[in-house]
Amino acid sequence: MDLIWLIPLLPGLGAAINGIIGVRAFSKKTAALVACSTMGIALALSTVAFWQLLGAPLEARDHVVTVATWIPRIPLATAHGIGGFEVPWAFRLDPLSGMMILVVTGIGFLIHVYSTAYMHDEPRGGYARFFCYLNLFCFFMLMLVLGSNFLVMFVGWEGVGLCSYLLIGYWYEKKTASDAGKKAFIVNRIGDWGFLLGIFLTFYTFGTLDFRVVANAAGSMPVETMQFGTLSLICVLLFIGAIGKSAQIPLYVWLPDAMEGPTPVSALIHAATMVTAGVYMVGRNAVLFSHAPMVMQIVMIVGALTALMAASIGLVQYDIKRVLAYSTVSQLGYMFLAMGAGAFAAGAFHLMTHAFFKALLFLCSGSVIHAMAGEQDMRNMGGLKKYFPKTYPTMLIGTFAIAGIFPLSGFFSKDEILYRAFLANKLVWGLAVVTALMTAFYMFRLISMTFLGAYRGRAWESAGHAATHVAAADGAPHPSDPPAHGHGPWHGPHESPRLMTVPLMALAVGAIVAGFVGIPAALGGSNTIERFLEPSFAGVAVAEAAELSRGGEIGLMFFSVAIGAFGIWLAYRFYVVNPDTSQHLAERLSGAHTLLSNKYYVDELYDATFVRGTMGSAKGLWSFDGRVVDGAVNGSGWLTIFLSWISHLFDKYVVDGLVNLVGWTTGESSFRVRWLQTGLVQNYALWMLGGVFAFMSIYLLAR
């Protein structure tokens, strides 16, 4: 466990090697080997550290490793006087971070392996650059989850934001991709503003940024039940950061656009890394949040509303990756709902199971896109089941898992959240149930439109013969040219290579078995995951809540499974048995369909208000600067020039005139006076005689 600092260092080293040397000199095979081997060793170290953690006594499962002193002790004001601000570069391994490093390195490694085949058509330099970004992303995410204090976490927090910009905009020559990268970066900065203020207020309140010290101090403070105090304000500010990073209302708009990046990027961002950072941060500060029940209510409501809204948008999407993107937003809402209901372990449990089946679903979609020469519109697919003997069953497993079908992993984690929501707030539970129905429907809609029914895509050439024409469904556009970014001549749908299908099968196994660590007591289990995570949430203020009987809990389980099964059956009826039904329903409910297709016009609203408002303000300030500020400066310049010209005239004609006049007068006077200086003695004697005569005359007259 003392070597946990190597876990983030290894992918960071891989990023440095590929970024400095690989883009210039490495072959594709070497670049992939460097990236995958560093992630593989990080996974091995994470497994060893996790195993050692399991072997430690329950009270000793909190291990801190200090690498160095980052910021030496300096005096700084706190609420209790002048305190010492000191930040060590330290990593903390406990059950929560232990689970996270396994998820990040395990799923991250599989995504790296998958990417070696998926991105193989990229140019050599771009291939190495891609793996540099992937390694760097994992480095910062591991830094985030292992950091023992807010500031080390913030380094990872900002790092994954930077890497999301680089990866989403990987195909930077494509405007939509570069715009999506900028959108993700800017929206995340809004959330980070709140997170930073929360960090500042945390230090001012507690005099430290260490998670354990803050938790212990907060645990000794009274729960802010009747007032919105300092703890509540800290939690609100931290939650703003979580909203931005984990794509909740109102800062969720960047996540669907993130689909412009390569599919492995989508899997990495949505499943194992960035979007779960906000959920992890709330869980890491569970003691703080549990002492701010008003904020917990906000977290629960925001999560429930986000889950419902995103699921409703996913009902009408046709881009296979965007369906999964809105599914991610919805599932993140479930996690925040659990956190807000005080079920921190349930939220972390769903984070773990979601990582498996969502990574599986994204990589399966990438397998389809790869085999369909870049096609992402499900209206141009259909009937692909026979071409994908490995991708289809694994994606079906992921679909059943996210729909909450027993006994797959999603059933256990989602059922625990629904159970806790039922105990906390019946209305929120109702929203979560409706969301579960929508989730099952749109996910099996994806399966139906992609793999079942008749093929609706474009034609392909086979063995050099003429293309076989296949008619498209009404309203489904045919791409006339093969998509860019490496996809060459297309010879029809086909199964992906082994480097892509093996990770799918590994993730499918995870999606099946990962839930068994959380079998509830009602089904004869002991909810192992909750007991394992218990030390990470020590000190949480637990409110008294009524418990259901075993029969009632099992009844809720049957109900949730029935809801999922009903959604699947409904999608099958609409898109396989009677495909015209969905079209007729869309026409009858055209208003609602248009509203959902346009994603509630939230992007348009933001564009009309914040974006155009910001641009309009910028133009107004530019005009003010040009006409008023620059005008005042330029006017001052012209006035100075004019006054200097007046000063020049005054100096030339008045000052210089007076000086010249004095000089001229002196010169003329001296010219006249010098006539008296003849040099002749008789003249001087004459002037002396005249002087004596004048003096005597004046003297005699004065008497």
Side-chain angles (χ1 to χ4, degrees), residues 352-428:
M352 184 265 288
T353 59
H354 174 264
F356 283 103
F357 57 69
K358 185 52 61 69
L360 172 61
L361 289 168
F362 265 113
L363 296 187
C364 284
S365 73
S367 178
V368 173
I369 294 167
H370 183 269
M372 293 291 290
E375 180 60 71
Q376 295 183 201
D377 193 327
M378 296 185 297
R379 292 171 293 185
N380 295 329
M381 299 180 186
L384 298 181
K385 174 183 175 181
K386 60 184 177 182
Y387 301 107
F388 294 92
K390 297 176 182 177
T391 299
Y392 170 67
T394 52
M395 195 165 195
L396 198 61
I397 290 171
T399 298
F400 287 150
I402 196 173
I405 301 301
F406 181 84
L408 303 180
S409 61
F411 162 77
F412 295 101
S413 58
K414 183 180 286 188
D415 175 74
E416 184 68 18
I417 292 175
L418 289 174
Y419 172 64
R420 295 304 183 96
F422 183 83
L423 297 178
N425 188 304
K426 301 298 186 294
L427 177 59
V428 169

Side-chain angles (χ1 to χ4, degrees), residues 117-130:
Y118 188 88
M119 301 297 291
H120 196 265
D121 289 333
E122 290 296 305
R124 184 196 58 78
Y127 192 79
R129 175 169 63 91
F130 178 79

Side-chain angles (χ1 to χ4, degrees), residues 157-500:
W157 188 276
E158 289 300 296
V160 294
L162 169 65
C163 292
S164 69
Y165 165 76
L166 296 173
L167 286 169
I168 294 168
Y170 170 75
W171 287 316
Y172 57 86
E173 294 178 350
K174 184 181 174 185
K175 188 177 186 304
T176 53
S178 61
D179 287 348
K182 288 184 286 187
K183 186 176 183 179
F185 192 79
I186 292 169
V187 172
N188 272 274
R189 297 292 74 72
I190 298 170
D192 294 350
W193 162 82
F195 189 36
L196 262 179
L197 291 181
I199 292 174
F200 295 156
L201 187 55
T202 298
F203 177 80
Y204 181 76
T205 303
F206 300 105
T208 181
L209 293 177
D210 184 87
F211 288 126
R212 175 49 61 193
V213 179
V214 169
N216 292 338
S220 64
M221 298 173 70
V223 178
E224 295 179 346
T225 307
M226 303 302 295
Q227 61 174 348
F228 194 90
T230 303
L231 295 183
S232 297
L233 182 56
I234 290 173
C235 291
V236 164
L237 292 171
L238 294 179
F239 184 54
I240 290 172
I243 284 174
K245 196 66 72 181
S246 293
Q248 297 296 285
I249 293 174
L251 300 179
Y252 70 93
V253 291
W254 68 269
L255 193 56
D257 288 0
M259 297 302 97
E260 292 293 337
T263 301
V265 172
S266 304
L268 193 62
I269 290 177
H270 287 243
T273 55
M274 180 173 169
V275 296
T276 60
V279 179
Y280 171 80
M281 187 266 288
V282 173
R284 174 56 71 200
N285 294 283
V287 177
L288 264 177
F289 278 85
S290 68
H291 281 69
M294 296 184 201
V295 181
M296 294 275 282
Q297 289 288 323
I298 294 172
V299 173
M300 181 171 63
I301 292 170
V302 169
L305 292 178
T306 303
L308 181 66
M309 184 205 65
S312 65
I313 296 174
L315 294 173
V316 298
Q317 296 298 307
Y318 292 107
D319 186 308
I320 189 171
K321 286 174 65 177
R322 283 189 179 266
V323 174
L324 297 176
Y326 282 106
S327 169
T328 299
V329 177
S330 183
Q331 295 303 306
L332 289 167
Y334 262 111
M335 296 175 207
F336 279 110
L337 189 160
M339 296 286 179
F344 296 102
F349 182 29
H350 194 58
L351 185 157
M352 184 265 288
T353 59
H354 174 264
F356 283 103
F357 57 69
K358 185 52 61 69
L360 172 61
L361 289 168
F362 265 113
L363 296 187
C364 284
S365 73
S367 178
V368 173
I369 294 167
H370 183 269
M372 293 291 290
E375 180 60 71
Q376 295 183 201
D377 193 327
M378 296 185 297
R379 292 171 293 185
N380 295 329
M381 299 180 186
L384 298 181
K385 174 183 175 181
K386 60 184 177 182
Y387 301 107
F388 294 92
K390 297 176 182 177
T391 299
Y392 170 67
T394 52
M395 195 165 195
L396 198 61
I397 290 171
T399 298
F400 287 150
I402 196 173
I405 301 301
F406 181 84
L408 303 180
S409 61
F411 162 77
F412 295 101
S413 58
K414 183 180 286 188
D415 175 74
E416 184 68 18
I417 292 175
L418 289 174
Y419 172 64
R420 295 304 183 96
F422 183 83
L423 297 178
N425 188 304
K426 301 298 186 294
L427 177 59
V428 169
W429 172 79
L431 295 178
V433 168
V434 173
T435 301
L437 174 63
M438 291 180 177
T439 302
F441 178 84
Y442 66 66
M443 284 307 305
F444 206 78
R445 170 181 178 266
L446 181 152
I447 292 291
S448 301
M449 293 186 70
T450 304
F451 295 103
L452 306 180
Y455 179 72
R456 301 177 300 276
R458 65 189 177 93
W460 66 86
E461 294 183 0
S462 179
H465 296 294
T468 304
H469 179 73
V470 182
D474 291 340
H478 276 303
S480 56
D481 299 311
H485 307 300
H487 293 290
W490 188 50
H491 301 291
H494 55 276
E495 185 57 275
S496 299
R498 286 188 63 189
L499 284 173
M500 292 173 64

Side-chain angles (χ1 to χ4, degrees), residues 410-679:
F411 162 77
F412 295 101
S413 58
K414 183 180 286 188
D415 175 74
E416 184 68 18
I417 292 175
L418 289 174
Y419 172 64
R420 295 304 183 96
F422 183 83
L423 297 178
N425 188 304
K426 301 298 186 294
L427 177 59
V428 169
W429 172 79
L431 295 178
V433 168
V434 173
T435 301
L437 174 63
M438 291 180 177
T439 302
F441 178 84
Y442 66 66
M443 284 307 305
F444 206 78
R445 170 181 178 266
L446 181 152
I447 292 291
S448 301
M449 293 186 70
T450 304
F451 295 103
L452 306 180
Y455 179 72
R456 301 177 300 276
R458 65 189 177 93
W460 66 86
E461 294 183 0
S462 179
H465 296 294
T468 304
H469 179 73
V470 182
D474 291 340
H478 276 303
S480 56
D481 299 311
H485 307 300
H487 293 290
W490 188 50
H491 301 291
H494 55 276
E495 185 57 275
S496 299
R498 286 188 63 189
L499 284 173
M500 292 173 64
T501 56
V502 169
L504 299 186
M505 290 184 279
L507 289 169
V509 172
I512 294 170
V513 304
F516 292 123
V517 297
I519 300 175
L523 294 180
S526 58
N527 209 332
T528 306
I529 186 71
E530 188 169 329
R531 291 191 294 106
F532 171 72
L533 292 172
E534 187 177 337
S536 296
F537 305 129
V540 169
V542 181
E544 292 294 329
E547 296 287 334
L548 285 181
S549 64
R550 182 172 182 270
E553 189 174 349
I554 292 177
L556 282 179
M557 292 181 193
F558 274 113
F559 181 69
S560 65
V561 172
I563 285 291
F566 178 68
I568 290 172
W569 174 81
L570 206 59
Y572 183 79
R573 292 284 298 177
F574 279 15
Y575 292 94
V576 179
V577 177
N578 191 359
D580 294 333
T581 303
S582 60
Q583 186 65 31
H584 294 156
L585 191 60
E587 292 172 358
R588 288 181 58 187
L589 302 174
S590 58
H593 188 272
T594 302
L595 181 66
L596 295 177
S597 296
N598 288 281
K599 300 161 286 187
Y600 294 103
Y601 297 98
V602 173
D603 281 293
E604 289 78 4
L605 176 64
Y606 285 177
D607 184 67
T609 53
F610 297 110
V611 177
R612 294 186 184 178
T614 301
M615 295 300 294
S617 299
K619 289 180 180 178
L621 289 172
W622 177 79
S623 299
F624 179 82
D625 180 70
R627 297 177 182 178
V628 178
V629 178
D630 287 354
V633 173
N634 294 335
S636 299
W638 282 108
L639 181 61
T640 302
I641 293 172
F642 176 73
L643 291 177
S644 65
W645 181 71
I646 296 297
S647 176
H648 160 73
L649 294 179
F650 180 82
D651 181 69
K652 180 177 180 180
Y653 293 105
V654 178
V655 178
D656 288 356
L658 288 174
V659 172
N660 293 335
L661 178 62
V662 171
W664 178 82
T665 302
T666 303
E668 289 297 319
S669 300
S670 64
F671 181 75
R672 302 300 179 186
V673 171
R674 74 180 180 177
W675 290 351
L676 302 177
Q677 304 297 322
T678 61

